[in-house]
Each structure stands twice: as C-alpha cells, then as structure tokens.
Amino acid sequence: MKQWLLAGVASLSIVACSSESTDQTSNQSAGETDITYTEAAVETPSYVPTGMLAKTLPEIAAALQAGEVTSEELVQAYLDRIEKVDRSGPTLHSVISVNPDALADAQALDAKRAAGETLGPLHGVPILLKDNIESKDNMATTAGALALKDNITGRDSPLVAGLRAAGAIILGKTNLSQWANFRSNDSMSGWTAMGGQVRNPHQLDRNPCGSSSGSGAAMAASLAAGTVGTETNGSVICPSNANGIVGFKPTVGLVSQQYIVPISSSQDTAGPMTKTVKGSAMMLNAMATGEAKTDYVSGLDADKFKGARVGVLRYSVGGNKDIQERFEAALEVLKAQGAELVEITEGPSFPDGFGRHARNVLMYEFKTTVNEYLADSAEAVKTRTLKDVMAFNIENADIELALFDQSLFDASQPLGDLNTPEYIEARDTVQKAMREDGIDMLLSKHNVDILVAPSGPVASRVDPINGDVWPSFPGAGSMAAIAGYPNITVPMGTIHGMSVGISFMAAKDEDAKVLSYGYAYEQATNLRAEPQYLKTAEDQADIAKAMKGYVNQ
C-alpha cells in the first residue's frame, strides 16, 4: 500500500476480555476477566498482565482516587513491565524512551493527593506519547529519526499541557513509523532508525500498522494506562485495529497541532488510544482545546442505538470472508440494540485525478510545515530544513536508508509553497469529494445518524525485504481522514488470534456522538482481545497442524 494512503498463559492464550460497565468500573479482582481460551501449539511464558496493570484507564483512575494504589507504585509497575515485555521477552520495541522524571512526578502527585489536592480525573495516571509529540520532560521528540535525536525542546504541546493539567504523568514516548510514515512509498510500518521495528503483541511477526505503531502495541500490551497517537490518514485507526484496542481520531482542529512533528495541516490530528471508549473520552476531555470541545465522558450513552438510523457502508466491506462474518455479527448487535440499518451500496464518486490530488496535498503541506517545525526545533538540532534532513540521511545511509529510501522526501522537496495553484486545486478537490460530496452527502442522502464499516484488514506480516505488503483494505477510514471528520475503531473480534475492529464515522464536530456510538457497541459486546505474544500464527495448534499437511502429522 502506498504510504500516503495511511499516512499466552503457559499453553493457553487469552482471546477476549471485558471492559468497564456502563456506569461503574469493573468489580473484578486483580487479573480476573471474562475470557475464553484457545489451545496453543507451543508453551510460552506468561506476559499477560495481572492486578492493576490488567485494568482499564477508568478503573485505574478510580483505584488511584480510592487509595488502592499510589501513582508511584503504578509508575514503577509500568516501568517494570516495559523492561519485561518491551526491552526483553517479546521485545516489542514499542517504547522509544522513558521519562527519567516519571517516578519523581508520581511522588509529587501522590503528595498533592495526600494533602487533599487533586488536579483532575487523570491525577497520577501514566500516559505514553507518540514520539512526534513534544513534552517539556527531559526526552527528545524524534519522529524516530536520527536527525532529531537531540530535539529536546522543553515545551509541552497543548494536548500534553492539557493532560498534565488533568493530572496525567508522561511516562515516556512510543516508537512509530518514521516521520509518521511519510518518508518513502516503500516503508515498513512501525520501523524507525531510533527505535527499530515495533512488534504486534498478538503475534510478533505481524505488522502493528502505523504510523502510531508503538502507541497501539504499547496500549495492547498494558505498558501504560493510555497512549496518544497521531493520524494523517489511518495512523490512529489502523494500529488500533491491528493491535485490538480502541482508537479515536477527532475532528481536525479539536486537538491542537502545535509542537507535533507535522505532515499535513489539513489532516493531522492527535487522538487517544486506550483499552476502552470511556478511557478515550477521559483523555479527550483533557487533550481537546478547540471551540467545539464538550464533556465527552458525560455524553457516553450505552443505549445510543435505540431508534438510531445506521448507514452501513456495504460497498466498503471488502472480500475477506472472516471480516465479513465479524461485521455481520456486529450489525446484528446494533439491530438488537434498537438500530435501524440502512444499506449503502454505493460510495462517493471520485473526481478525476483524485489519488494524485490527495498525494499532492500531503507533499505540499509536508514540505511547508516540516520546514517550519525544523526551523523552530531545539538549538541542538543541526538539520533545520527538509533538504538538510535528506542530506543527513544520505550521509547516514547505513542506518537511515538501510531498509528503504526517502522517495516521498525527494518528491516533496521541489514543490512550492501553499499559495501554489496546483496545491490549492488539489486541496479543494479532495476536501469537497470527502466532505460535501462524501460523508456529508451519505449522511444526508440516506437520512442516517452514523456511518459504520470495518476498520481495516487482518494485519499482514512484517517484511523488511519488500516493505509493507497489505491485503486490500476494507473500510472507509480515508474518507474521514481526508475530510478531517471524527472516526472511532472498537474491537469486533479476532481472526486466527488477530484483532479486527469496527468503525463509526460522522460529520465535523460530531466527536461526542461518534464516541457514544462506539461506547454503546463496546458495552454490548466487550470483544477486546488480550495479546497472546505468539511468535507466529503457527504457534496456534490448528494452524500448526494444517501447515504440516496430512503426510507429516
């Protein structure tokens, strides 16, 4: 796929676990959950989290408030788990750096709580940030690039300031697809020169998708209470789908783009990635700064589908029979919850040259915005322009260009500024196609409240030789990404141990509504799958047997 289209316990494997109930957190004891098991072909060490680390963000926040755990204890537990699961064991490579002051920050927040002062709903909750998001902590913001290894700016992006004001602790930074998957048409999702290759915790040879690969894998592996990703086109939704978590992409502008290594001023947005929808809503309450901001937690309604007209994007379901089966089961849940399903068999028409226009928008905006970012980066950064970065990569080709080229950099560098007629035509064309003639048209023409589709494919294997090799992508996430409209993915089951999700999309600034529909589906199903940490699909007995063949049994 062209990158600009994305921008077990011993011999048992946990495959499903519950989320918090509608109006209260789970009363399960440490490590308990409603689960089913599938037989594994090989015995593996247990990397499944227990106790507090197995809980969801809302449960952790409630436990902190109730005094069941201190923030210092929680941070230390996550640091220990990062060492056990990310640095050794399965070696996920999902965390690129750890905040050296996280424990001190936790102690300070514990002291505030003991003195009767709490900052907000996230007081003492550890959060991981994607490593293209600046924080004032003593950590570089690198976008995974060696050229930015000294980019310690000492400033919080507005979303981080919001999280910190709500009491969150910045635990560290997550690995990603380098430059948020905008360096090469032949790149590998989840690889950076700084952090190496992120591994999918469900099956370690499977693609974590990108570009928020580390945020997806780290959240699935319970390395923090919540993570933050960023999306230009699929980079929150796809890794959330592949790693089996909730991912929410807000309306562009709701979360500030300031102090985030950019690609596209018209499409970039950060978004929360969590185990549950309520966790994402809690994070968004802190992250959002746009004029349309509201209380996303109070807006959650488990009965949201009663009387709702749901537009089923049938044209986007794709040909994978297993995904079709999970999606049909999900639709039956919506009907049982009181929804009226409206079949939409034809999608929006694409104007001539749509693909070229969509790519041009990203390349023009990338050149302009990344040059602005680099010029304002830390003084220790010597690459102050895109041209400088390209030259640096050539000088350090043994590290930076060992696996793939910088073809998207090459194509972006010669382009003009954002007053260039070619850019303006491209931007106006693709936005109209995906807004007025896309999502807005589908909602109005079919008189529906929400649009639903699969979130994406079953994750393919990591391939360092050919780069990303994906099956055909089901779903319509690109439509929401290019339009700049809200989109959420919620787990809808597993296929041979790999998670797949269902997406809900709506119009501009309908973020609260999208979250609520995702929440209602989640509460009716609870299909999040706990990672199995298998090396390959062949570690599952049924697949191993089939792969041997009859004569070799």
Side-chain angles (χ1 to χ4, degrees):
M1 162 168 282
K2 297 297 186 184
Q3 295 311 307
W4 57 270
L5 289 177
L6 290 177
V9 180
S11 62
L12 297 175
S13 302
I14 295 182
V15 297
C17 49
S18 66
S19 65
E20 69 270 0
S21 61
T22 301
D23 54 8
Q24 62 183 16
T25 54
S26 172
N27 59 8
Q28 296 163 343
S29 61
E32 292 179 350
T33 185
D34 296 330
I35 56 176
T36 58
Y37 295 93
T38 57
E39 183 182 358
V42 297
E43 295 214 353
T44 59
S46 175
Y47 298 111
V48 175
T50 59
M52 199 60 62
L53 301 190
K55 295 184 179 294
T56 67
L57 188 153
E59 291 172 331
I60 289 168
L64 284 162
Q65 184 175 4
E68 297 172 13
V69 66
T70 67
S71 182
E72 182 181 3
E73 290 168 340
L74 195 56
V75 167
Q76 186 62 62
Y78 279 124
L79 293 175
D80 292 345
R81 182 158 175 81
I82 289 169
E83 187 63 35
K84 177 181 179 180
V85 175
D86 206 69
R87 303 285 192 259
S88 56
T91 318
L92 298 179
H93 290 162
S94 66
V95 178
I96 206 167
S97 61
V98 169
N99 181 1
D101 300 315
L103 280 171
D105 291 346
Q107 292 164 354
L109 286 168
D110 284 338
K112 283 182 179 291
R113 190 185 293 277
E117 178 185 356
T118 55
L119 298 182
L122 302 179
H123 190 105
V125 175
I127 302 292
L128 286 167
L129 306 173
K130 185 176 178 179
D131 191 30
N132 60 349
I133 302 170
E134 291 188 17
S135 77
K136 65 182 180 182
D137 308 285
N138 189 24
M139 296 182 290
T141 301
T142 73
L146 191 61
L148 295 183
K149 68 179 179 62
D150 298 318
N151 188 34
I152 303 177
T153 65
R155 59 196 183 192
D156 276 345
S157 63
L159 76 89
V160 177
L163 288 168
R164 212 185 292 276
I169 295 170
I170 306 306
L171 184 64
K173 301 284 190 79
T174 59
N175 202 0
L176 64 157
S177 307
Q178 194 181 68
W179 294 100
N181 238 359
F182 205 77
R183 200 193 85 184
S184 173
N185 279 312
D186 300 309
S187 72
M188 294 167 57
S189 293
W191 179 89
T192 66
M194 290 291 292
Q197 177 64 47
V198 179
R199 298 291 175 175
N200 190 311
H202 294 271
Q203 292 172 20
L204 301 177
D205 66 339
R206 292 278 155 179
N207 200 311
C209 202
S211 64
S212 304
S213 316
S215 295
M219 189 67 260
S222 298
L223 303 186
T227 65
V228 181
T230 65
E231 172 160 324
T232 303
N233 194 338
S235 291
V236 165
I237 300 301
C238 188
S240 298
N241 173 74
N243 290 281
I245 61 171
V246 171
F248 180 67
K249 186 204 83 72
T251 296
V252 171
L254 179 62
V255 177
S256 174
Q257 298 173 348
Q258 187 179 28
Y259 302 149
I260 302 175
V261 182
I263 294 176
S264 166
S265 50
S266 67
Q267 293 179 213
D268 285 354
T269 182
M273 301 169 70
T274 54
K275 291 180 180 179
T276 64
V277 177
K278 185 176 180 181
S280 282
M282 290 174 67
M283 288 180 64
L284 188 62
N285 273 356
M287 294 165 59
T289 55
E291 293 182 0
K293 178 180 178 179
T294 186
D295 186 344
Y296 301 100
V297 176
S298 66
L300 299 178
D301 180 4
D303 296 322
K304 188 69 174 177
F305 285 107
K306 286 185 179 179
R309 286 175 56 85
V310 177
V312 180
L313 300 183
R314 186 63 63 184
Y315 68 89
S316 75
V317 173
N320 184 300
K321 293 182 179 180
D322 292 316
I323 292 178
Q324 292 174 354
E325 180 181 304
R326 273 59 170 185
F327 187 60
E328 290 306 316
L331 295 179
E332 289 301 313
V333 171
L334 305 191
K335 288 170 61 178
Q337 294 295 303
E340 178 184 353
L341 303 185
V342 178
E343 294 286 332
I344 301 177
T345 57
E346 293 184 9
S349 59
F350 291 88
D352 291 343
F354 179 84
R356 171 174 52 83
H357 287 314
R359 182 168 60 176
N360 280 341
V361 169
L362 299 190
M363 291 193 301
Y364 271 99
E365 292 183 353
F366 175 71
K367 180 187 177 182
T368 293
T369 58
V370 82
N371 278 332
E372 292 172 349
Y373 180 86
L374 291 168
D376 193 37
S377 61
E379 290 184 8
V381 175
K382 304 306 179 185
T383 50
R384 312 303 291 185
T385 66
L386 176 58
K387 186 176 181 180
D388 291 343
V389 172
M390 294 167 64
F392 177 93
N393 289 346
I394 292 171
E395 292 170 5
N396 296 273
D398 58 327
I399 301 173
E400 282 287 351
L401 305 180
L403 295 176
F404 51 85
D405 60 23
Q406 52 183 349
S407 55
L408 285 173
F409 284 8
D410 293 335
S412 300
Q413 173 57 28
L415 299 178
D417 62 27
L418 301 188
N419 293 312
T420 305
E422 182 183 46
Y423 162 72
I424 295 171
E425 178 189 6
R427 181 200 61 200
D428 293 349
T429 297
V430 299
Q431 288 186 349
K432 184 175 186 296
M434 297 293 95
R435 292 176 179 176
E436 297 97 316
D437 298 340
I439 291 177
D440 295 339
M441 178 273 292
L442 292 174
L443 291 167
S444 175
K445 178 180 178 180
H446 299 280
N447 189 27
V448 294
D449 302 299
I450 195 78
L451 302 175
V452 63
S455 299
V458 182
S460 57
R461 282 180 166 173
V462 173
D463 189 341
I465 297 174
N466 297 302
D468 280 355
V469 180
W470 288 98
S472 177
F473 261 66
S478 285
M479 186 163 59
I482 295 172
Y485 289 1
N487 184 9
I488 193 171
T489 179
V490 180
M492 71 171 180
T494 59
I495 298 171
H496 300 301
M498 294 303 298
S499 290
V500 290
I502 183 170
S503 279
F504 299 95
M505 293 168 276
K508 180 182 178 181
D509 293 332
E510 293 189 324
D511 301 73
K513 182 167 80 172
V514 171
L515 280 161
S516 193
Y517 279 113
Y519 179 75
Y521 171 76
E522 174 195 58
Q523 295 302 298
T525 56
N526 295 326
L527 291 175
R528 182 178 66 84
E530 194 69 51
Q532 304 172 57
Y533 303 94
L534 302 180
K535 291 182 179 179
T536 173
E538 292 178 49
D539 284 348
Q540 298 175 93
D542 56 341
I543 292 180
K545 181 178 180 179
M547 293 295 281
K548 284 183 178 179
Y550 177 78
V551 299
N552 298 313
Q553 300 296 328

